[in-house]
Amino acid sequence: MTPKHTVDLLILGMGAAAELAAIYAYDANPKLNILIATKALKGKGGCSRMVQGGFNVVLDSSDSHEKHFMDTLKGGQYINDQDLALTLVEQATPTVKELETISGCFFDRRDDGHIHQKAFAGQSFDRTVHKGDLTGIEIISRTTEQVFKRRIPVLEETRAVELLLDETGTVVTGALLFEMRTGKFIVVEAAATLVATGGGPTQYRFHAPGPEKSADGIAMLYRAGAVMRDMEMIQFHPTGLIIPGSVVAGALLEEGLRGAGAHLYNGKGERYMKTYAPEVAERATRDVVSRSAYLEMIAGRACPEGGVHIDAAHLGADFVLKNFPGMAERCAQFNYDLANGRVPVSPSAHFFMGGAAIDKDCYASLGKLFVAGEDAGGVHGANRLGGNGICESCVYGRQAGISIAKFLASKENRTIVKTAPKMAERMAERLAAPLTATSGTSPLENRRDIQETNWLQVGVVRNQKDLQSALDSFTGMSENVAKAKVSGSQAYNMIYNVHLDTLNMIDVSIMAATSALQRDETRGAHTRSDFPQQRDDYGLFNTFLWRGESNLPVFEKREVIFKHKSLETCQQFKK
Amino acid sequence: MQSKQTLRKVKIYRYDPEKGGEGQFSTYDLNIENPAITTILDVLIRIQKEQDPSISFRYACRVNMCGSCGMVINGREGLACKTNVSHLPAGQDITLRPLNHFPVIKDLVVDMGPFFTKYEDALPFFEPKMKHDEPYIIKADDPKRVDIGMATDCIACGCCVSSCTMVNNHEGYAGPAALNRAFTLLADERDALFVPRLTRALESCYNCRTEFNCTEVCPKQISGTRSIKYIQRLAVTHLKELKPLEAHPAEELPPKPPKEEPDTPCCCKAGHAADPSRRSFLKTAAGMVGIASSVGIAGVLGVAAVAPTLASNPKQWVPAGTLKDFPVGGISTIMLSYTRTQGFHSAAVNAPILVRRDSETEFLCFSSSCPHLGCSVAWDPLSARFKCACHGGAFDKDGNVLAGPPPRGLDRLPWKIEDGIIKVEVV
Amino acid sequence: MKTPEMESREPLQWGEIDPYRRGRAHVGMWAWLLQRISAVFILLFLGLHLAYTYKPFLQFMLFLTLIFHAALGIRVILLDCNLVNIKYQRYLIPWVLGIGLAIMAVVWFIIY
C-alpha cells in the first residue's frame, strides 16, 4: 500500500519560488501544515541555485519601475501578460529588500555601502543585483536555511510524478510522489498544491540547466489538464560552453560578460553581432544573440569547435578575474583561458518562457492549484531578459506564499477534496511498468532521441517542414518512451529516473513543436527560417493550449491585451 | 580509437541496499581520450551508459554549484563535476568511493541527513536584529565583510565533514561546514543571534585539531579551519557575554511531520549511530592513553616533589676499599656499590666517588657528581684538575671551581678508617 | 508494488577501504598527529632522563622531541591568534620546524 500524507500545502520543488512560497506562507500562518517535496537534496536541485548573473530590480532613484517594465515588454516582444510583467517589476523591489532583511542574503555593495547593480543586456539601466558571479548560491543557501528555521518538513529526493485530481477533473487534490531512494510511490493530499519545480528545457542536446531537470512541473500540469501558454517560446542562451564529450557542455558563461563588453567572433574572426544588431551589438537580448550565432554557424562561419568565440580578454585579465572569477574558473577547468583568450560557445537551451497560465496571485486554471516560477508562463512574453529569471522565481514565489496563505485562511478552502478513486494506484501501476517489462528501449536512448530531434528540428531556428516532422516523430516516440525497459532494483535506480524524465520531456516537446507550428513569424526566441520577419500585424497573440481528448494539445490563440502600455508605446520605446 | 595510453581502470565502490554487507569495489576499463577535459562525472555517466546501468551516484547541476556529487576520488574528497581525470596522478587507477561519516544508501550515494542535523544545530539561519525595511548600508570594504569574504559560498557538499578526522569521534562536534556557517553569521552585524550561536559553537569549536583537511578538500576554497579559529577567538574575547543557552524558538516548536505517516520514508534506520564497536574502541583507547599520560605526569611530578624530602634521611657508611688500594699522593675513582633503602623502596646504587690520599691517614673523598647538572667528574692528571665532560666544568684538586658553569665546588663526603678499610658516608 | 527491505550501510570511516588515502598529503593532519605523539615521547624521555641523571643521548632525544613538540605547538598558537594568515599554513610547518631545529642546534653547542 502506498504511504499517504495529508497536509495543508504541498509544495513541489525546492528552488527559489518554492522556498519563498513556503517562507511567506508560514510567516502568514505558522499553523499551516506545509510539506516540500524536492527531486534533489534539500536546496540543491533546481536552476535558481545555478543563477550566475543576478536579479533585475529597481532600487536606484534614477531608475523606475516604468523603465524596467518597458524593458521587460520590449525584451518579450510585446506579447507578455502585462499584468504579470507589471507585478514582476513592482514586487521585485520589496522582494529583493526582504531577501536581505528577512532571509539574510548579502549582495555585493557599492563603495558607498548600497547594493551594487551591474549591467545586463537589453536594459536601459544597470539594475542587476548580484553576489559575485554566483548569485544563485547566495539566494538559495539563505532561503533554504530559512526553511530549516521554520522547521518545514522536506521530502528529499522525492520527485512529483503526477498531479492528482478529484472526480470532476477540475480540482487538484495533491500529487503522486516517487521516492527515489527506496523506489516507493507516495500519495500526498493537500488543500492547496503549489507547482514550483522549475522548467529546464533539457530536451535539447545542448542545455544549460543541470541534467536532472526535465520540465517535470510543466509536463505534469499539462497532463493534469491545466491551461498552458506560449510553449513555443524556449530561450536559448547564447553563451553555452562547448566541451566535447562532457556532460558539462552547455553550461553557461554568464550574461554579465556581454554586459561588461565582451565581444563575439565567428570562425572568420568577424564581430558578427555588428551586422545583426548594429546599435547594441553584443548587448542585444538573448534571442537576438543566439539566433545570430546560430545563423553564423549554419552559414558555415562556425569556429573550429563548432560554435562562435567569446572574447573578454580585451577587458583586461585583471578585470575579468576580479569580476567573473566563477566563469574564469569554469573555463580553466576545461583548458580555456577566459581572461586572456577566446572561448568557444554555442547557443544552449535555457529557459521556458511558456508554462501554466496564471494570474498575479499565482492561481492556475484548476482548483486548488498554484503555479510559480518557470512552470508559469506569460511574464516574459517571447523572450526573457537576463536577470528576470531569478526575479520571476522570487517574486512569484513570494506572491504564491502570500496568496496561498490567504486562500487557506478560509475553512472551506482548507478542506481536503477526495481524489478520484483508484487514480493514484492506477498511475503508480502504469509508471512502474518499465521495471517489470521484458522488452523495450532504454530510457537513455529515448532521451538521446528526444534531444537530437529537438535540437535539429525544434531548435534555435525552425521551419514548418522540420516542425511537422518532429511532431510526427514525437507522437511515435511517446509510445516507445512509455514502453521503456528498466533493469535493476528499485533503490536509487538512476535509469528509472531518466525514464520518468523522458515521460515529461516528450510531453513538453510535443507542446513546443505544436505550439511553434501555430506561429508563422519570427518573434523573440521563436525563429522561423520560412518566416524570418516579426509581423506585428499578425503575431500579437498568445498560444494557449491544454490537453485534448486524444492526448494531443488543443489550441486557442488569444489576442494580447495591452492593458497598461499600448502597442505603439512599446514599439516606440528606445533604450 | 582505443590504445593502451588512454585506457584507464576505474574502480567504483558498490553497495546494494537489498543485499547489505560491507560493499566492495567493481572495476571497469574505460577509454578516456582527453583526460584534461573529462570530469569524473563524465566518467561515471559514461560507465553507466556504456557498461553498467546499475551504478548509482548523485549529481544535479554538473557545474559545481549544487554540491550533490561529493565523493572520495583517489583518497581525496571532491566534487565529481569539478575534478578532471587529468587532475589525478597519471599512473593511478581512478578510485571512487562514497563520502566518509555518512550512511551509504547505495553505491556512491550517501544519506546527507546527519550533515544537515549537525548543520542545523549550529543555528545556521539569519535572524534579523529588528524589523528593517531597507537593506543595511554596509561598505564593500567593511572589515567584517572582508573577514567573511567568500565563506558564505558554501554549497554544503559534505566534503569537509568527510575529510575531518574529528567529526566522528566527538558527539557534539558540529564539523567544519556548520561552524563555517556559524562564523559567517557571527561576523554578520545584521544578525541577532550572536550570543546563542556563539555559545552553541563554543561547545564544539575546540574540537578542531587544526588539521586543515577541510581546507584542503573544499571545492569552493573555503577554509573551515579559518572559520573555526575565528570562532575560537571570538569565544575568548566575548567570554563574559556567554550565558547558558535557551532553546531557539525554532527548536521549541515541535517538528511538524505531516499527518498520517504509516511508514515514513526512512531508508536509513540503522547506521546513524556510526559504528559502535569502533567508537567504543576509540573511547577505550583514548581513555587508556589519558590514564597512562596522567599517571606518567603524576609520577614524574611526584618523584620531583617527594624525592628531595626523603633524600637526606638514609645516610650510611659504605666501604670504599682497603688502604692498600689507594696509593699515597694519588687520586683514584672507584665505584661504590650498595643498596639504598629509602622509605619502602630499595635500590641497588652504583655511584662513582673520587678519593684523594694525601698521606697514610689523610684522605679527601668527593662525590663525582658535578654540582652543575650531575655529570660524572674525573681526574685529569695532565692538567691536574677534576674535569666534567659535559659542560666544561673544572675543579682544582681540593674540589674548588676553576672554570665552567658549576655553581659550587665538588661535594666532600665524610670518611673514616675502620680495621684498615676506608668507609665513606653516602646517601 | 512490493518494496524490498533496504538497509543503508553504516558510514565509511576515514581511510577505510581507501587505497590512495595514505599517499595523500594531509600536511596539517600529520603535524597535529606528530605533535601529539611527540608529547608521549617527551614523557618517556623525561622519565628516562630523571632516572638516569646524565646520558647525552637521552638529553639529545628529550631536547629534540621537546623542540619538535614546541614548534608544532607554536604553529597552532600562531594560527589560533591569527598572527599568520591561514593560507600559509602549509609553509608554516617547515618554517617552525626549521627555526626550532636551528635554535636547538645553537643551544646545544652553547651548552656543550
Side-chain angles (χ1 to χ4, degrees), chain B residues 78-89:
Chain B
L79 297 181
C81 64
K82 211 194 174 191
T83 312
N84 288 3
V85 175
S86 60
H87 297 165
L88 307 176

Side-chain angles (χ1 to χ4, degrees), chain A residues 4 32 44 49 97 104-105 109 113 131 145-146 149 151 153 157 179 207 246-247 329 333 489 492, chain B residues 18 42 56 58 62 65 67 81-82 84 124 126 134 136 138 152 155-156 181 190 250 256 260 265:
Chain A
K4 195 166 152 188
L32 283 182
K44 287 185 189 262
R49 179 174 268 283
K97 288 179 178 169
C105 295
R109 292 297 204 261
K131 157 102 180 171
E145 289 159 9
Q146 294 300 313
K149 175 165 133 187
R151 302 214 130 196
E157 301 200 305
E179 196 194 34
H207 53 84
S246 176
V247 67
E329 195 188 332
Q333 192 189 346
S489 63
Y492 219 96
Chain B
E18 288 171 34
D42 291 322
S56 298
R58 185 187 274 143
R62 57 94 165 87
M65 291 179 90
C81 64
K82 211 194 174 191
N84 288 3
F126 177 74
E134 291 297 314
Y136 280 72
I138 297 171
T152 47
I155 53 175
R181 181 59 188 139
R190 305 171 299 164
K256 303 195 299 176
E260 282 179 51

Side-chain angles (χ1 to χ4, degrees), chain A residues 284-570:
Chain A
T285 48
R286 287 173 179 175
D287 52 340
V288 180
V289 184
S290 289
R291 184 191 310 151
S292 314
Y294 193 82
L295 291 173
E296 287 295 305
M297 283 152 63
I298 53 173
R301 292 191 290 273
C303 67
E305 294 88 351
V308 293
H309 279 138
I310 186 164
D311 175 30
H314 67 274
L315 300 172
D318 291 342
F319 175 84
V320 175
L321 292 176
K322 180 170 171 289
N323 289 284
F324 305 101
M327 298 304 103
E329 195 188 332
R330 183 173 293 179
C331 289
Q333 192 189 346
F334 299 98
N335 280 352
Y336 297 132
D337 188 351
L338 184 68
N340 300 303
R342 293 183 180 182
V343 178
V345 292
S346 150
S348 176
H350 181 223
F351 186 83
F352 285 108
M353 267 71 75
I358 58 166
D359 69 5
K360 66 181 172 49
D361 292 319
C362 297
Y363 285 85
S365 60
L366 299 173
K368 289 179 176 287
L369 175 66
F370 297 79
V371 183
E374 194 178 345
D375 288 333
V379 181
H380 306 295
N383 174 53
R384 168 167 83 73
L385 290 182
N388 267 1
I390 186 69
C391 182
E392 181 198 8
S393 296
C394 291
V395 168
Y396 280 95
R398 177 172 173 270
Q399 294 288 99
I402 295 167
S403 79
I404 290 171
K406 244 183 234 160
F407 174 79
L408 291 177
S410 110
K411 207 162 184 190
E412 188 189 333
N413 288 335
R414 209 165 154 175
T415 50
I416 309 268
V417 177
K418 255 181 104 82
T419 309
K422 291 279 162 213
M423 185 179 192
E425 286 76 4
R426 275 204 301 273
M427 281 172 173
E429 206 172 298
R430 172 170 58 80
L431 289 166
L435 283 167
T436 47
T438 47
S439 67
T441 47
S442 144
L444 293 171
E445 276 169 38
N446 289 337
R447 184 174 65 182
R448 200 199 52 221
D449 287 348
I450 298 172
Q451 288 179 334
E452 290 300 311
T453 315
N454 267 313
W455 183 251
L456 297 171
Q457 299 183 324
V458 201
V460 187
V461 176
R462 307 148 175 188
N463 64 56
Q464 159 104 37
K465 200 171 120 258
D466 283 352
L467 285 173
Q468 194 57 57
S469 112
L471 190 55
D472 294 343
S473 357
F474 289 145
T475 24
M477 257 183 237
S478 63
E479 297 264 304
N480 284 342
V481 167
K483 282 190 198 140
K485 175 184 181 302
V486 176
S487 60
S489 63
Q490 290 171 31
Y492 219 96
N493 191 328
M494 295 178 74
I495 307 292
Y496 183 65
N497 265 297
V498 173
H499 166 68
L500 294 178
D501 289 347
T502 53
L503 289 177
N504 295 330
M505 284 181 189
I506 193 79
D507 281 340
V508 172
S509 305
I510 291 175
M511 276 190 270
T514 35
S515 230
L517 276 168
Q518 305 304 308
R519 189 176 281 281
D520 293 339
E521 64 158 349
T522 291
R523 181 177 296 272
H526 174 70
T527 305
R528 289 280 294 265
S529 55
D530 40 357
F531 296 98
Q533 296 308 316
Q534 179 163 321
R535 296 158 62 195
D536 282 351
D537 54 336
Y538 153 84
L540 298 172
F541 62 86
N542 297 108
T543 338
F544 285 76
L545 64 91
W546 54 93
R547 195 176 66 145
E549 289 301 312
S550 59
N551 267 347
L552 281 176
V554 178
F555 287 94
E556 187 181 309
K557 290 183 186 175
R558 295 185 195 159
E559 293 290 315
V560 177
I561 304 161
F562 290 89
K563 187 170 168 191
H564 302 283
K565 296 283 169 196
S566 72
L567 177 62
E568 290 70 38
T569 327
C570 294

Side-chain angles (χ1 to χ4, degrees), chain A residues 32-47:
Chain A
L32 283 182
N33 241 325
I34 305 174
L35 179 66
I36 299 178
T38 170
K39 191 175 182 178
L41 292 176
K42 285 174 194 166
K44 287 185 189 262
C47 300

Side-chain angles (χ1 to χ4, degrees), chain B residues 237-356:
Chain B
T237 48
H238 293 78
L239 211 51
K240 281 188 188 153
E241 294 167 37
L242 300 181
K243 293 179 200 101
L245 258 196
E246 285 166 42
H248 182 267
E251 294 176 321
E252 281 178 346
L253 283 173
K256 303 195 299 176
K259 284 179 225 161
E260 282 179 51
E261 282 183 278
D263 45 330
T264 326
C266 175
C267 57
C268 32
K269 286 156 248 157
H272 283 293
D275 199 359
S277 63
R278 187 188 135 94
R279 167 90 37 104
S280 62
F281 166 75
L282 280 170
K283 274 192 178 155
T284 323
M288 302 272 274
V289 169
I291 290 167
S293 309
S294 345
V295 168
I297 293 170
V300 168
L301 290 177
V303 167
V306 170
T309 59
L310 296 175
S312 54
N313 297 331
K315 288 189 175 170
Q316 55 180 316
W317 289 98
V318 177
T322 57
L323 290 174
K324 280 181 291 176
D325 297 340
F326 303 98
V328 176
I331 294 173
S332 3
T333 305
I334 52 156
M335 189 62 79
L336 289 189
S337 298
Y338 59 96
T339 309
R340 176 197 288 157
T341 310
Q342 196 169 15
F344 313 104
H345 180 70
S346 36
V349 180
N350 289 306
I353 60 162
L354 305 162
V355 180
R356 188 177 112 196

Side-chain angles (χ1 to χ4, degrees), chain A residues 1-8 26 30-35 40-46 49-52 96-98 100-106 109-115 131-138 141-142 145-146 148-153 155-157 179 181-182 184 186 207-212 243-252 325 329-330 333-335 444 447 487-495, chain B residues 16-18 34 36-39 41-42 45-46 48-49 53-68 80-84 87 105-106 109-113 115-116 119-120 124-128 130-141 145 149-150 152-158 181 184-185 188 190 219-221 248-251 253-268:
Chain A
M1 184 54 209
T2 30
K4 195 166 152 188
H5 301 314
T6 310
V7 293
D8 292 327
Y26 178 94
K31 292 213 174 79
L32 283 182
N33 241 325
I34 305 174
L35 179 66
L41 292 176
K42 285 174 194 166
K44 287 185 189 262
R49 179 174 268 283
M50 293 170 70
V51 166
Q52 302 166 344
V96 144
K97 288 179 178 169
E98 286 169 15
E100 279 241 347
T101 56
I102 293 180
S103 299
C105 295
F106 187 81
R109 292 297 204 261
R110 296 196 306 239
D111 289 338
D112 66 357
H114 290 277
I115 293 178
K131 157 102 180 171
D133 58 354
L134 300 171
T135 314
I137 294 178
E138 176 76 2
S141 300
R142 301 296 86 85
E145 289 159 9
Q146 294 300 313
F148 290 166
K149 175 165 133 187
R150 289 164 176 77
R151 302 214 130 196
I152 299 169
L155 295 178
E156 279 185 304
E157 301 200 305
E179 196 194 34
R181 292 183 188 174
T182 54
K184 266 190 233 165
I186 301 172
H207 53 84
E212 42 93 57
I243 305 158
S246 176
V247 67
V248 189
L252 299 185
E329 195 188 332
R330 183 173 293 179
Q333 192 189 346
F334 299 98
N335 280 352
L444 293 171
R447 184 174 65 182
S487 60
S489 63
Q490 290 171 31
Y492 219 96
N493 191 328
M494 295 178 74
I495 307 292
Chain B
D16 186 344
E18 288 171 34
N34 200 343
I37 60 165
T38 305
T39 62
L41 185 60
D42 291 322
I45 289 176
R46 276 187 55 198
Q48 187 184 52
K49 202 188 273 181
S54 69
I55 59 170
S56 298
F57 49 96
R58 185 187 274 143
Y59 72 105
C61 77
R62 57 94 165 87
V63 285
N64 39 64
M65 291 179 90
C66 74
S68 298
C81 64
K82 211 194 174 191
T83 312
N84 288 3
H87 297 165
I105 292 175
K106 192 184 174 203
V109 181
V110 294
D111 178 10
M112 295 287 281
F115 176 88
F116 284 109
Y119 196 72
E120 286 171 47
F125 36 74
F126 177 74
E127 179 91 34
M130 62 188 103
K131 183 136 174 42
H132 224 264
D133 289 332
E134 291 297 314
Y136 280 72
I137 296 172
I138 297 171
K139 292 200 169 161
D141 54 357
R145 293 313 307 191
M150 303 308 275
T152 47
D153 273 358
C154 170
I155 53 175
C157 60
R181 181 59 188 139
T184 57
L185 284 164
D188 192 334
R190 305 171 299 164
K220 299 305 262 186
Q221 278 91 42
H248 182 267
E251 294 176 321
L253 283 173
K256 303 195 299 176
K259 284 179 225 161
E260 282 179 51
E261 282 183 278
D263 45 330
T264 326
C266 175
C267 57
C268 32

